[in-house]
Amino acid sequence: MSQPHVLLLGGTAEARGLARHLARFPVELTVSLAGATQSPAGYAGTMRKGGFGGSAGLARWIKAQSVSLLIDATHPFAAAMSRNAAEASRLAECPLLRLARPAWEPEPGEQWQQHPTLEAAISALPAGARVFLATGSGSSDALATRPDLTMFLRSIEPVAALPEHVTPILARPPFSFEEECGVMQRHAITHMVVKNSGGAGRSKLLAAKALGVQVLMIERPPQPEVVETLYDMTAMLERITACLSLDSASTRTP
Ligand code: NAP
């Protein structure tokens, strides 16, 4: 009998971790990436790259490839993909699970300015600020509106057509507390703009607190409410086992 086909929407460290687990499950695993990063970190399973053509395209792919379970493990700010996944799951009548990270909460001594969007955060920055943007490659349009600021944008790969007042910093996560302190001190940073991604990247918030750098936190976009969401890898693996009616002996973690 053929194995059930799992389509994992990735692009995050959590998706890579989940793929490593699923590689030991009796399933056929396809991992999908948007294709924005030229040399992404490796994944277990078969990889495919590029958009599906909206929710209808994803639903067609799911049917054509006989997908038994769709898993959305995309970044909390990849809102369009998560919406598409929810709609495609409905159209193709394919179950969907979402693997998510809890949002960061301020710890004692941390005071963040909260902003609903990157644009709102950028326009709230005071004149003359030296700004560290830990917001990744999709940020350049908003930056052009503030040529009065000195900005440093960190991304994994070069961002095309950066405005002159924005200096690129190319680096691949994860970053330690010491590395985050180093980058902020080197560039005499006064303000940091960051997405509330949650997960392991909290060291930049600790570094900002230690150095007295003001944090402008971009709130998460809303996620489709209908989707069953798990915040924990063990719970996710149990749910996948149940969804696909797998023998739990074959999916137990060693
Ligand atoms: P997005 O705005 O939600 O998605 C835009 C379009 O890109 C989607 O409609 C879809 O195209 C395609 N797409 C996105 N994720 C895909 C995937 N895993 N597989 C195939 N197609 C995908 O997404 P985004 O914010 O640009 O993020 C793109 C990727 O980078 C995601 O995989 C995400 O997990 C990862 N990422 C994003 C961030 C962030 O801050 N946004 C940070 C780290 C990693 P079609 O409509 O044509 O299917």
Side-chain angles (χ1 to χ4, degrees):
M1 213 172 70
S2 67
Q3 296 185 327
H5 187 182
V6 174
L7 174 60
L8 172 63
L9 305 172
T12 57
E14 288 76 10
R16 262 198 317 285
L18 180 54
R20 270 197 302 275
H21 285 290
L22 290 180
R24 291 182 295 95
F25 276 37
V27 300
E28 179 192 342
L29 173 65
T30 302
V31 179
S32 176
L33 300 181
T37 306
Q38 293 304 310
S39 49
Y43 279 81
T46 304
M47 277 174 70
R48 68 162 298 286
K49 277 194 196 175
F52 294 92
S55 54
L58 177 55
R60 276 194 300 276
W61 200 97
I62 287 171
K63 282 187 171 165
Q65 303 296 325
S66 306
V67 172
S68 312
L69 176 64
L70 176 61
I71 301 176
D72 177 9
T74 59
H75 192 270
F77 281 74
M81 190 67 240
S82 292
R83 271 196 310 277
N84 288 353
E87 178 60 7
S89 148
R90 192 185 66 75
L91 292 172
E93 298 179 2
C94 175
L96 167 65
L97 299 173
R98 175 161 174 75
L99 178 63
R101 324 163 171 168
W104 292 317
E105 298 291 339
E107 289 187 353
E110 288 181 344
Q111 282 184 331
W112 308 335
Q113 269 184 39
Q114 307 267 5
H115 292 279
T117 60
L118 174 65
E119 290 72 16
I122 299 289
S123 66
L125 286 161
R130 294 180 65 84
V131 186
F132 176 41
L133 297 141
T135 46
S137 57
S139 319
S140 58
D141 285 355
L143 311 187
T145 60
R146 294 297 303 272
D148 57 315
L149 304 175
T150 305
M151 296 174 142
F152 302 85
L153 173 65
R154 183 163 69 192
S155 58
I156 295 177
E157 289 177 351
V159 177
L162 269 189
E164 255 181 34
H165 61 286
V166 184
T167 303
I169 299 176
L170 295 183
R172 190 182 284 271
F175 306 108
S176 67
F177 172 76
E178 289 73 20
E179 287 168 324
E180 298 291 28
C181 285
V183 76
M184 290 185 212
Q185 283 173 319
R186 226 169 8 261
H187 300 297
I189 296 299
T190 58
H191 293 73
M192 174 171 73
V193 180
V194 56
K195 293 174 176 171
N196 196 337
S197 302
R202 211 182 191 295
S203 47
K204 56 182 162 289
L205 299 173
L206 299 177
K209 178 176 146 190
L211 299 174
V213 168
Q214 171 73 59
V215 173
L216 288 83
M217 182 66 73
I218 306 168
E219 292 157 8
R220 292 178 169 203
Q223 287 290 337
E225 282 173 13
V226 289
V227 179
E228 181 179 350
T229 302
L230 297 110
Y231 291 89
D232 171 83
M233 189 64 79
T234 307
M236 176 53 115
L237 295 174
E238 282 171 9
R239 210 47 207 98
I240 293 168
T241 302
C243 263
L244 297 175
S245 305
L246 300 175
D247 174 4
S248 53
S250 68
T251 62
R252 202 162 293 138
T253 40

